[in-house]
């Protein structure tokens, strides 16, 4: 294929399409769990592993996939991941039982990690300067909107075509992306292709992230003091220490010197906090809308349009804002807007009505649109070009951890607040926690509604506190000189980049 056909726009379009599909598959399955359980004759607890298996596999491989893309080629890893994801999607859609479905979802997660890990590095290699910032802003906007649109798209597909189509719809998209990547996307790899592949580091990286993710995924159901949860958490700490020790030589899977770059490490921490305060709380916002107003899944999706619409609309202006404002100002301002939005939702949960709900959702969307593009840009612009895939993998590894942490921590707060709100009142506490008020004794329904609303308010306030912490972290780590110097970081050796911190 002639080089004139391999334009940066093709790279952006293909990477964005892959990002949309991967992000959708994090949230789209939730609304289909009941239908899957009925059709496959499996308990809801087992079927919930269709969500967990994807998250665990995705989170475990993304760091290793990002580092390997610097060695063997970023387009190669991206294309192989998209092919694996497409085949696994077909396996999910045709699965005859729950075990097969869960296994196929795990393969989807592995493919998703291989697609997402080199995404930022591919965009960074295709664009420079202001055009790079605009491209990353576009990628961030469509990916974030896809995550928020997951529940409504899932509801539409399940209601009109059946649950299998939430997976089968990925197949034609995946085939087109693979074909486009092979014919229209230029290869992007590190300048020093002689750097060795580190099998031990790869195994330790996968093991560390898998062991750290498992307690967050299984803890809410199994209990935080369950042996498997405690053992997995302890193993994660041990493996993390072993990983750091094994990487001290500097030529392994991870170059730990990257963490000495203040803006880069700050972007990684802030990416974790952003996922905690956004996707970590989205499940509870969806549950609150569905339970409080008795909305169907499609209606919930429509009620979330102030969030998705404001996210996409604000995303159109972020590249312009990046020309006049520093990353520190944008990220801190975005978290402040999200914090205000969460306070608005807390007011709505306490009886503030639809105006407070809409205002809260709009502020959440605008804040998310402002936060992610500068963070993604810093992740690849403050490190040398031959470490871009590694940097992308490191920062992306923080995202699923942040989402899982938010769901786990806020879920624990939600359950504890419902427990205290119900007090000695009898009844099905799990029904109250899932908003199924129709199965609650009519005499106890006022207490159940009050406990549920109080729990939602508590989650919103806790998430707003996370946003406040993030504002302070952004002001302390994303100093303006990093944004000014970021254009030169990719061309400097690592020691020079590290010294800029």
């Amino acid at each position: 294929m002639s080089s004139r056909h391999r334009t940066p726009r093709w790279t952006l379009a293909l990477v964005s399409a892959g990002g949309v599909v991967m992000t959708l598959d994090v949230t789209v399955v939730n609304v289909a769990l009941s239908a899957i359980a009925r059709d496959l004759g499996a308990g809801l607890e087992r079927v919930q592993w269709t969500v967990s298996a994807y998250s665990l596999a995705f989170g475990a491989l993304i760091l290793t996939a990002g580092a390997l893309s610097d060695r063997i080629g970023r387009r190669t890893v991206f294309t192989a991941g998209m092919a694996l994801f497409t085949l696994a999607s077909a396996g999910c859609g045709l699965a005859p039982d729950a075990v097969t479905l869960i296994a196929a979802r795990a393969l989807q997660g592995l493919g998703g990690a291989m697609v997402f890990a080199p995404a930022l590095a591919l965009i960074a290699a295709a664009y420079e300067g202001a055009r790079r910032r605009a491209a990353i802003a576009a990628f961030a906007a469509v990916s974030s909107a896809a995550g928020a649109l997951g529940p409504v798209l899932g509801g539409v597909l399940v209601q009109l075509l059946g649950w299998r189509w939430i997976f089968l719809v990925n197949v034609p998209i995946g085939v087109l992306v693979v074909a486009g990547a092979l014919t229209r996307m230029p290869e992007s790899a590190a300048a020093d292709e002689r750097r060795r592949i580190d099998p031990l580091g790869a195994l330790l990286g996968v093991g560390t992230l898998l062991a750290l993710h498992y307690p967050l995924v299984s803890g809410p159901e199994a209990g935080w003091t369950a042996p498997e949860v405690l053992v997995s958490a302890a193993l994660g700490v041990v493996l993390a220490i072993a990983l750091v020790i094994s990487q001290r030589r500097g030529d392994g899977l991870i170059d730990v010197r990257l963490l000495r770059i203040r803006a880069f490490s700050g972007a990684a921490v802030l990416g974790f906090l952003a996922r905690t305060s956004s996707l970590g709380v989205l499940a509870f916002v969806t549950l609150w809308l569905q339970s409080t107003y008795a909305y169907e899944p499609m209606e919930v999706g429509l009620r979330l349009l102030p969030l998705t619409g404001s996210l996409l609309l604000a995303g159109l202006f972020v590249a312009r804002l990046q020309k006049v404002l520093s990353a520190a100002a944008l990220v801190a301002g975005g978290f402040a807007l999200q914090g205000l939005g969460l306070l608005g939702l807390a007011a709505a949960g306490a009886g503030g009505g639809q105006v407070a709900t809409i205002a809260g959702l709009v502020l959440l969307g605008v804040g998310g649109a402002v936060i992610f593009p500068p963070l993604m840009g810093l992740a690849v612009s403050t490190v040398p070009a031959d470490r871009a895939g590694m940097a992308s993998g490191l920062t992306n590894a923080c995202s699923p951890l942040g989402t899982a942490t938010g769901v786990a921590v806020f879920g624990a707060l939600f359950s504890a607040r419902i427990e205290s709100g119900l007090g000695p009142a009898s009844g099905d506490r799990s029904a109250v926690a899932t908003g199924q008020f129709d199965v609650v004794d009519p005499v106890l329904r006022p207490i159940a509604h009050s406990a549920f609303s109080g729990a939602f308010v508590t989650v919103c306030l806790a998430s707003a506190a996370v946003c406040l912490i993030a504002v302070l972290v952004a002001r302390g780590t994303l100093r303006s000189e990093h944004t000014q110097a970021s254009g030169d970081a990719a061309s400097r050796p690592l020691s020079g980049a590290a010294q800029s911190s």
Side-chain angles (χ1 to χ4, degrees), residues 69-309:
S69 71
D70 284 337
R71 272 81 160 178
I72 64 177
R74 294 158 191 158
R75 186 190 69 171
T76 299
V77 172
F78 176 89
T79 306
M82 199 71 221
L84 176 59
F85 179 87
T86 303
L87 290 172
S89 296
C92 290
L94 301 174
D97 52 53
V99 174
T100 304
L101 177 59
I102 292 169
R105 281 288 284 171
L107 290 176
Q108 265 194 323
L110 295 177
M114 294 169 67
V115 170
F116 224 91
L120 291 180
L122 285 165
I123 295 174
Y127 293 93
E128 294 181 357
R131 294 181 68 205
R132 175 189 289 177
R133 291 192 293 270
I136 290 176
F139 172 73
V142 297
S143 297
S144 299
L149 283 171
V152 63
L153 180 60
V156 170
L157 290 174
V158 171
Q159 193 165 326
L160 297 182
L161 299 174
W163 67 266
R164 294 183 183 275
W165 281 95
I166 66 175
F167 303 114
L168 294 176
V169 73
N170 295 329
V171 175
I173 298 173
V175 170
L176 291 174
V177 172
V178 169
L182 291 174
T183 59
R184 301 292 176 133
M185 182 187 291
E187 182 56 278
S188 169
D192 183 6
E193 297 179 352
R194 296 169 298 173
R195 291 174 59 206
R196 67 185 184 87
I197 294 177
D198 180 14
L200 175 62
L203 289 174
L204 288 173
V206 171
T208 298
L209 290 172
L210 182 61
L212 292 176
H213 272 88
Y214 182 79
L216 296 172
V217 170
S218 61
E221 292 294 329
W224 295 107
T225 58
E228 63 269 27
V229 172
L230 296 177
V231 169
S232 182
L235 181 61
V237 174
V238 172
L239 290 175
I241 295 172
L243 176 62
V244 172
I245 293 173
S246 73
Q247 302 302 301
R248 293 175 67 181
R249 60 184 176 271
D251 64 342
L253 177 78
I254 306 169
D255 194 334
V256 293
R257 291 175 296 175
L258 293 178
L259 299 178
R260 295 205 296 263
I261 304 173
R262 182 189 293 268
F264 174 76
S265 56
V269 171
L270 288 164
F272 174 89
L273 295 175
R275 291 296 185 181
T276 301
S277 62
S278 57
L279 289 183
V281 80
L282 180 62
F284 300 97
V285 175
T286 302
L287 179 63
W288 175 70
L289 287 171
Q290 194 165 4
S291 303
T292 302
Y293 299 104
Y295 292 147
E296 294 296 323
M298 288 181 62
E299 291 178 297
V300 171
L302 293 175
R303 298 293 176 174
L304 286 173
L305 282 178
L307 169 63
T308 53

Side-chain angles (χ1 to χ4, degrees), residues 420-492:
S420 65
L422 291 176
S426 60
D428 189 346
R429 281 164 165 71
S430 63
V432 177
T434 54
Q436 300 179 61
F437 300 116
D438 54 328
V439 302
V440 177
D441 188 331
V443 177
L444 299 176
R445 282 179 191 171
I447 299 175
H449 277 285
S450 177
F452 183 89
S453 298
F456 176 70
V457 170
T458 299
V459 167
C460 290
L461 294 177
S463 186
V466 172
C467 290
L468 175 60
I469 294 171
V471 169
L472 300 177
V473 173
R475 299 299 299 178
T477 60
L478 307 184
R479 299 178 302 190
S480 60
E481 58 261 37
H482 287 298
T483 57
Q484 295 163 358
S486 63
D488 301 325
S491 61
R492 294 197 302 264

Side-chain angles (χ1 to χ4, degrees), residues 314-372:
L316 299 176
F317 300 96
V318 173
R320 298 179 186 177
L321 291 175
Q322 287 181 286
K323 295 179 181 179
V324 295
L325 296 174
S326 69
L330 283 171
V331 175
F335 274 112
L337 288 173
Q338 283 203 330
L340 291 173
L342 289 160
L343 292 178
L345 289 175
Q354 293 285 358
V355 173
T357 302
I358 294 173
L361 292 174
V362 169
L363 289 171
L364 271 181
V366 174
V370 172
I371 290 170
F372 286 106

Side-chain angles (χ1 to χ4, degrees), residues 12-69:
L12 176 60
L14 293 167
V15 170
S16 296
V20 165
V21 175
M22 302 307 132
T23 308
L24 276 174
D25 266 60
V26 176
T27 58
V28 73
V29 181
N30 291 302
V31 297
L33 291 179
S34 296
I36 294 172
R38 287 194 305 268
D39 190 39
L40 299 182
L44 191 59
E45 294 79 10
R46 169 170 286 190
V47 173
Q48 283 175 334
W49 273 98
T50 59
V51 177
S52 301
Y54 182 91
S55 300
L56 286 170
F58 184 94
L61 187 65
I62 194 165
L63 173 60
T64 299
L68 287 178
S69 71

